[in-house]
Amino acid sequence: GGIPGSFVKKLHLQAMSQAKHATGLTGGRSVEVRYTPQQKRVMKLLCEGNSYRQIADELGIKFSTVRSHIELIYKKLDVPNETEAVLKIREQGILDD
């Protein structure tokens, strides 16, 4: 038994969305950043609550490759963790196109 990880992630996201966000290295300025199609696929799966292992399996790539993509995505988004990355992806509508 136990609580599913996807539920915990959703709950954490909800709580974080209600909290104040740090502006990060960009000081809150809007900076245009481009993402590769593969980075967008990784972001989509991350936003759906998938683990790194699930993302690797879904995309048919190595776990270490997923980790590399996500580290670069965090840098581009100027966020320190998954929760803030998902919130920022949603807030900026990065996957809406």
Side-chain angles (χ1 to χ4, degrees), residues 27-90:
R29 293 184 310 271
S30 179
V31 178
E32 179 161 353
V33 178
R34 297 183 193 272
Y35 301 94
T36 66
Q38 187 75 326
Q39 288 170 343
K40 285 189 174 187
R41 286 188 284 272
V42 170
M43 285 190 276
K44 178 182 179 295
L45 293 168
L46 192 67
C47 287
E48 292 173 355
N50 290 282
S51 68
Y52 288 21
R53 177 66 54 206
Q54 290 169 320
I55 293 170
D57 291 345
E58 177 72 24
L59 298 178
I61 59 179
K62 292 182 181 181
F63 179 86
S64 60
T65 303
V66 171
R67 190 172 47 224
S68 295
H69 279 304
I70 290 177
E71 287 174 9
L72 185 55
I73 289 166
Y74 287 2
K75 287 180 184 178
K76 287 182 174 185
L77 290 170
D78 194 20
V79 296
N81 58 54
E82 180 179 334
T83 302
E84 289 194 36
V86 171
L87 288 171
K88 199 162 189 178
I89 290 164
R90 290 178 179 170

Side-chain angles (χ1 to χ4, degrees), residues 3-24:
I3 300 172
S6 60
F7 173 77
V8 173
K9 285 183 179 183
K10 287 178 185 177
L11 185 62
H12 191 232
L13 279 171
Q14 189 67 19
M16 289 293 295
S17 70
Q18 301 302 317
K20 288 248 182 212
H21 300 293
T23 57

